[in-house]
Amino acid sequence: MAKQTVLITGSNSGIGRATAELLAGRGYRVLATMRNLDKGRDLAEAAKKNGWDLTLLSLDVCNDDSVREAFRQAGEVDVLINNAGFEVWGPIEEMAVGDITDQFDTNVYGPLRCINAVLPAMRERGSGIIVNVSSVGGRVAAPLNGLYSASKFALEALSESLHYEVGHFGIRVHIVEPGGIETPFADNRRLVGAGAGDETSPYRPLIGQWEEATIKLQGEGPRTQPSAVADAILEAIEKGDKLRYPVGPDAQMVLAARKQMDDETFESAMRQQLGLTW
Ligand SMILES: NC(=O)c1ccc[n+]([C@@H]2O[C@H](COP(=O)([O-])OP(=O)(O)OC[C@H]3O[C@@H](n4cnc5c(N)ncnc54)[C@H](OP(=O)(O)O)[C@@H]3O)[C@@H](O)[C@H]2O)c1
């Protein structure tokens, strides 16, 4: 069987990089895309050392021209992994419209630009796989991550609709939902208002409380590694019998609780578990 070509966005860091390495090691032809190719030097070196079929390509998911050019260079893509993303973090009241549009540009319009770039050819071929990296925040919103959660809820909805629309053409769509994963993601957040340390903000006490709650949510054990998300992505590609793949004990716990409880019971259970009095 011919090698499958996988294109991954945001491959220079965290989950994208772990996925590029795992899939290249498994014999896929990997197009590891990133907006700054200088950040891909280590990955290129690892590919050379290990004899992987891995090519770096420039792709900024927020830029139409960049997306067009990357997919022109890519040629036929069997598997698209929409991984690039970031978080705007802070109280909703303190967000500017620009924060909202930037959040959606990367986390929602970015994946859509890439999906639209691959769908016509996948449809004509009658095969293809699209994996969208969402988050447990794409199912359950929390204080201070309203914009991020809104963007991932949107990505979940688009993915679910797409799943119904394109399954008919032989194209699979999967959603991967990590909990807290040990990557530079938190360091790359855009912090706003109280989230950025504004001591005059009426939301300032919430920040401390929520930071403590997050530690409790993640538990005492070691944090989930990006390789666990890469494993889930591989399972989605190779097994592909589920629409959604939660990753990590915190994601499993929150999603299982949410499924069993109504809104009020869930809120009260989480408040109790996390010591949240705000
Ligand atoms: N880590 C977690 O706890 C966690 C939990 C749930 C979901 N996720 C999701 O997992 C995905 C990967 O995150 P991560 O944890 O691996 O974080 P990360 O290490 O910060 O990686 C994010 C990647 O996205 C790239 N990116 C951001 N904006 C981009 C753009 N406009 N065009 C192309 N690439 C862009 C970044 O590139 P630069 O280096 O150029 O910025 C980086 O390669 C994200 O969608 C995130 O929402 C993460």
Side-chain angles (χ1 to χ4, degrees), residues 44-254:
E45 272 167 31
K48 206 170 163 191
K49 199 171 123 213
N50 291 293
W52 295 335
D53 187 348
L54 182 148
T55 307
L56 300 193
L57 277 184
S58 172
L59 199 175
D60 178 345
V61 301
C62 295
N63 182 312
D64 287 326
D65 291 339
S66 168
V67 172
R68 201 173 305 115
E69 180 55 20
F71 283 91
R72 189 194 65 74
Q73 287 184 36
E76 199 162 281
V77 173
D78 300 295
V79 183
L80 166 66
I81 302 173
N82 280 311
N83 162 75
F86 84 110
E87 177 175 34
V88 179
W89 195 74
I92 290 171
E93 186 184 339
E94 297 176 347
M95 295 293 167
V97 170
D99 293 318
I100 304 171
T101 51
D102 289 351
Q103 183 71 98
F104 273 69
D105 201 12
T106 303
N107 291 9
V108 184
Y109 310 149
L112 266 182
R113 287 184 183 98
C114 297
I115 288 166
N116 285 336
V118 295
L119 266 185
M122 285 184 174
R123 204 167 19 74
E124 272 168 37
R125 269 200 323 269
S127 70
I129 301 171
I130 296 168
V131 180
N132 292 331
V133 179
S134 173
S135 166
V136 65
R139 304 285 293 287
V140 179
L144 304 169
N145 77 347
L147 295 197
Y148 178 72
S149 242
S151 73
K152 294 294 190 180
F153 266 62
L155 183 63
E156 294 258 348
L158 290 168
S159 307
E160 204 168 313
S161 287
L162 196 65
H163 158 74
Y164 291 121
E165 289 173 5
V166 301
H168 176 79
F169 299 119
I171 302 165
R172 284 198 271 123
V173 178
H174 301 287
I175 307 167
V176 173
E177 298 167 330
I181 308 296
E182 193 161 349
T183 71
F185 181 74
D187 299 331
N188 292 334
R189 289 186 303 187
R190 181 188 300 174
L191 306 175
V192 177
D198 177 2
E199 294 294 342
T200 65
S201 164
Y203 295 94
R204 194 61 203 145
L206 173 60
I207 302 291
Q209 237 192 65
W210 188 251
E211 279 171 346
E212 278 175 31
T214 307
I215 293 167
K216 283 190 193 139
L217 194 61
Q218 281 166 354
E220 306 246 303
R223 293 197 65 196
T224 307
Q225 294 301 304
S227 59
V229 187
D231 288 340
I233 291 173
L234 178 68
E235 187 189 335
I237 295 169
E238 295 196 346
K239 205 158 165 226
D241 54 350
K242 293 191 294 180
L243 176 60
R244 290 188 163 88
Y245 293 80
V247 185
D250 50 349
Q252 306 280 2
M253 187 273 283
V254 170

Side-chain angles (χ1 to χ4, degrees), residues 21-52:
E21 290 178 351
L22 178 70
L23 296 182
R26 296 270 302 192
Y28 287 85
R29 174 178 172 248
V30 173
L31 302 175
T33 77
M34 57 200 70
R35 56 181 168 175
N36 179 353
L37 288 176
D38 287 343
K39 292 187 179 177
R41 278 203 202 116
D42 288 358
L43 182 58
E45 272 167 31
K48 206 170 163 191
K49 199 171 123 213
N50 291 293
W52 295 335

